[in-house]
Amino acid sequence: MKEIVVISGKGGTGKTSLTASFAFLSKNVVVADCDVDAADLHLVLNPKTISRGRFKSGNLAVIDPAKCISCGKCELLCKFEAVILNKKTGKYSVAETGCEGCGVCVRFCPVQAIGFPERDCGEWFVSEVSCGKMVHARLDSGAENSGKLVSLVRKKAKEEAEKSKAQLIIVDGPPGIGCPVIASVTGADAALIVTEPSLSGEHDLERVADLAKHFRIPIYVCVNKWDINPEKTRGIEQYCVDSGVFFCGKIHYDKNVTEAQVNGRTVVEYGEGACVREIINLWETLCRKIL
Ligand code: SF4
Ligand code: SF4
């Protein structure tokens, strides 16, 4: 079983549109949406949920007013100013958004009035889609630990791939180079970096390529909307040659991509332009290299 992660140094490069098209072109694969802060692959793959569960991570201090003797020690000790005194009632409580789950107040409360349950942070889903199975998740607004949720999505994708004997997992990674991206690429068999021909696209490509190289992940690069700046595209191709990275394709700008998104379809099933052929060629090249 192989795992390919589609990433980009920044959002808006067309990473998810490409991932959805790759999924549409495949049979018996597992697709994992690891962009848990803004998951949107499900909007075009129309998944039918077969199982789901809550994602819990970290802990939250909760004061039991029946046990609390209002000594104020927790307020004094909390470095994050998450403990609040209601001056009218004289009762203490913990602001959920302020609590960092350090556990200091729990440890030092003289009457053990503070509970420390796991924090409910989001939800994961396993679904059936036309190409096989899909795993995606939703982080609750304001919740943290997206890297941990990414790891959970990848773990569930692997379990589903084993169950269905799928040869490939296609991961839609998060944008950027932060913790969720690291959680998406570590241990993967290959990373496809989708970039666009702009100064920031070139810069972000180099940053995310350095990250993937650090984790010894074989890298493949493609340029989306290459014809909006052919000169910059040539620069990116040269960068790939100079840094020993495989340049595996470029895709024309095509207004059908936006229309496909608006209509909740993948680009390859919706459009007929040059871009469709290029996406198919790109996917075939990648499969030849990876599988
Ligand atoms: S330390 Fe315990 S008893 Fe004291 S105010 Fe906080 S919760 Fe109440
Ligand atoms: S667990 Fe830590 S951050 Fe949360 S209220 Fe207690 S002392 Fe503050």
Side-chain angles (χ1 to χ4, degrees):
M1 179 206 312
K2 301 279 182 175
E3 186 182 31
I4 179 167
V5 186
V6 184
I7 48 175
S8 60
K10 69 181 192 65
T13 61
K15 171 179 65 61
T16 300
S17 293
L18 277 180
T19 309
S21 288
F22 296 160
F24 182 79
L25 294 168
S26 305
K27 284 203 167 42
N28 193 25
V29 295
V30 176
V31 189
D33 190 348
C34 286
D35 191 358
V36 296
D37 286 296
D40 53 5
L41 201 52
H42 60 287
L43 300 176
V44 285
L45 292 184
N46 302 310
K48 285 194 182 70
T49 303
I50 52 176
S51 62
R52 63 202 291 172
R54 295 300 303 174
F55 166 61
K56 291 179 187 282
S57 180
N59 294 79
L60 171 70
V62 180
I63 296 174
D64 180 347
K67 291 184 186 167
C68 174
I69 56 169
S70 295
C71 70
K73 203 166 184 178
C74 51
E75 186 189 25
L76 203 69
L77 289 173
C78 181
K79 297 284 179 226
F80 303 97
E81 298 181 355
V83 179
I84 300 160
L85 170 64
N86 183 326
K87 288 190 178 135
K88 277 191 193 151
T89 61
K91 290 286 180 188
Y92 286 87
S93 62
V94 174
E96 197 172 322
T97 49
C99 177
E100 291 286 323
C102 68
V104 168
C105 60
V106 182
R107 168 76 180 77
F108 290 100
C109 173
V111 291
Q112 289 80 46
I114 308 177
F116 205 40
E118 275 193 307
R119 193 188 276 261
D120 205 10
C121 293
E123 194 169 15
W124 57 263
F125 307 84
V126 176
S127 314
E128 279 173 353
V129 286
S130 65
C131 64
K133 295 278 171 50
M134 173 175 178
V135 183
H136 74 287
R138 189 171 48 223
L139 200 64
D140 289 346
S141 53
E144 293 177 2
N145 281 326
S146 51
K148 217 169 161 185
L149 183 52
V150 166
S151 299
L152 178 70
V153 168
R154 284 183 70 198
K155 181 170 165 274
K156 293 213 166 280
K158 278 200 183 99
E159 288 168 6
E160 289 304 317
E162 276 161 17
K163 271 193 251 171
S164 56
K165 300 196 179 359
Q167 292 302 303
L168 184 64
I169 299 172
I170 308 170
V171 176
D172 185 18
I177 57 166
C179 174
V181 181
I182 294 169
S184 294
V185 300
T186 45
D189 296 287
L192 171 68
I193 303 176
V194 183
T195 188
E196 58 184 17
S198 63
L199 194 61
S200 64
E202 200 174 20
H203 173 70
D204 292 331
L205 160 66
E206 290 177 20
R207 288 194 320 158
V208 78
D210 285 346
L211 179 88
K213 278 183 198 165
H214 177 78
F215 289 101
R216 300 179 194 279
I217 315 293
I219 305 166
Y220 302 86
V221 168
C222 77
V223 179
N224 197 14
K225 305 175 212 159
W226 75 270
D227 49 332
I228 61 173
N229 191 337
E231 194 188 336
K232 196 57 87 185
T233 299
R234 277 193 292 279
I236 291 171
E237 288 184 69
Q238 191 57 49
Y239 160 79
C240 292
V241 171
D242 295 343
S243 53
V245 169
F246 187 80
F247 184 85
C248 61
K250 49 191 183 183
I251 299 157
H252 277 86
Y253 170 76
D254 188 341
K255 62 179 175 43
N256 277 326
V257 173
T258 312
E259 281 181 25
Q261 284 169 344
V262 170
N263 286 284
R265 311 267 293 278
T266 65
V267 180
V268 285
E269 69 182 312
Y270 187 78
E272 292 174 347
C275 137
V276 171
R277 189 67 247 163
E278 287 159 352
I279 293 172
I280 294 170
N281 288 344
L282 171 65
W283 184 232
E284 287 174 352
T285 304
L286 273 172
C287 288
R288 273 198 303 277
K289 288 275 176 194
I290 296 160
L291 294 176

